[in-house]
Amino acid sequence: MGRVKVFRDLIGIIKDKASQSKAALISNPRTLSLHLALLRATTHDPFSPPDPTHLATLLSFGHCSRATASTAVDAIMDRLQTTSDAAVAIKCLITVHHIIKRGSFILQDQLSVYPSTGGRNYLKLSNFRDDTTPLTWELSSWVRWYALYLENLLSTSRILGFFLCSTSSSVDKDTEEDKLSSLINTELLKEINSLGNLIEQIAKKPDSLNSNGNVLVDAVLGLVGEDYLSSINEVSIRVSEFKERLDCLGFVDSVELVCALRRLEECKERLSTLSQRKKVMIESVWGSIKEVKDQIGNSEAYKEDEGRLLMMGRRNKVSESARFGERVVMKHSGNSVKFSSGRFLSFNDFSFPVYASME
């Protein structure tokens, strides 16, 4: 087994040297440094993460022209899509993650629009398999999960309007709270659902057996752990905003919010070991999530509307033939239809006509 490992490592070194020599011979002189930095950052060695120096070189191309940034993204995606080696694939994804976190706006922009320019859906690696060794087989599951996670991260960033976890697009807390207060409930729900999807994907990280303690896996978990802190902070801000709106939240929005908060709570246990930083802050956020969820569930308006919904469900079980034979007439009632949302308090004194069936 030891000889097989040594032989495989030797093949990886030869492949890396051959790729770099090929790049030196056929690459455009203007992009030679780009291709060499990429090859050196994404070697076949499964026991070493991308070198920070080579990552910095790749990120520096984001400070050039938009065309140069586009070439850099194209090169990374081509490397990712053409490799069958798990170590190379993970290092490519780590490079993408660094672009999201530390890249310039131009580089991030080229990354986010890449699929719409006619390229492949570059992070769809659901079929990736490297069965060379037990380690590479397990690393393959990390490749599949990590690619899907980064897709979720990009999708959430588009919905929020800024690159989540990025050092170059930090948003002032007061400014963000002002922006959130101007959003309608459906838009705010869309954001919290998107953050929920991202956190759910984090919670689905693979279990480590052969890869336990592997430096590549540790590097991935380190980056994702930082993202988790940023994500849970964004959730906290939106939960606080909903807390201010509880008195004027309609039944449908209340149900969707409760479902979103329950989904988040279901992730809590699996996320407990992800980050050892800011534990007090994280526990405070989970406490706020539970508080708002319980506050909605225990409210009289929520219980009343939930009861009405159940009654309507029972009525709708009447057979088609029975309903077809009914005659519907309109009668006026002095009873008002009450709205639970504070946004419609002005309508609560208005009497609506009520339709009743007459046999």
Side-chain angles (χ1 to χ4, degrees), residues 189 191-203 228 231-236 238-239 242 256-272 282 285-286 288-290 292-293:
L189 281 166
E191 291 191 355
I192 204 166
N193 274 317
S194 183
L195 286 163
N197 291 338
L198 182 65
I199 291 175
E200 271 189 325
Q201 185 59 30
I202 295 176
Y228 169 56
S231 302
I232 205 74
N233 183 60
E234 294 298 328
V235 168
S236 174
R238 284 153 183 80
V239 169
F242 268 120
E256 188 170 351
L257 178 58
V258 168
C259 289
L261 298 180
R262 281 176 181 164
R263 284 172 54 210
L264 284 167
E265 283 189 321
E266 289 171 0
C267 302
K268 181 180 177 180
E269 187 175 344
R270 279 190 62 85
L271 295 170
S272 60
I282 292 173
V285 175
W286 288 119
S288 297
I289 288 172
K290 185 178 187 306
V292 171
K293 185 201 71 176

Side-chain angles (χ1 to χ4, degrees), residues 336-350:
S336 300
V337 177
K338 297 289 186 181
F339 289 89
S340 59
S341 172
R343 286 173 290 169
F344 302 108
L345 288 177
S346 59
F347 292 109
N348 278 341
D349 295 326
F350 185 81

Side-chain angles (χ1 to χ4, degrees), residues 2 11 44 66 73 85 115 128 156 166 189 191 194 213 224 259 270 281 308 312 315 321 333 340 343-344 346 358:
I11 291 177
H44 290 74
R66 188 170 292 274
V73 171
D85 186 276
F128 187 91
T156 300
S166 171
L189 281 166
E191 291 191 355
S194 183
V224 174
C259 289
R270 279 190 62 85
M281 183 273 285
R308 288 177 184 170
M312 288 175 62
R315 288 174 187 167
S321 58
S333 172
S340 59
R343 286 173 290 169
F344 302 108
S346 59
M358 189 171 188

Side-chain angles (χ1 to χ4, degrees), residues 54-71:
H54 302 317
L55 284 176
T57 301
L58 288 170
L59 293 176
S60 70
F61 289 97
H63 299 288
C64 302
S65 66
R66 188 170 292 274
T68 302
S70 177
T71 300

Side-chain angles (χ1 to χ4, degrees), residues 40 43 55 58 60-61 69 72 105 107 151-152 155 161 184 205 228 245 286 294 304 312 317-318 340 344 359:
R40 289 165 180 164
T43 62
L55 284 176
L58 288 170
S60 70
F61 289 97
F105 170 77
L107 203 56
E151 279 203 337
N152 272 273
S155 175
I184 61 175
K205 64 182 179 65
Y228 169 56
R245 303 187 185 193
W286 288 119
D294 291 346
E304 183 179 337
M312 288 175 62
K317 289 182 179 179
V318 179
S340 59
F344 302 108
E359 296 180 0

Side-chain angles (χ1 to χ4, degrees), residues 73-94:
V73 171
D74 284 345
I76 295 168
M77 295 311 159
D78 185 65
R79 175 77 163 160
L80 175 61
Q81 289 290 336
T82 56
T83 188
S84 58
D85 186 276
V88 173
I90 286 185
K91 291 178 185 182
C92 287
L93 292 171
I94 289 175

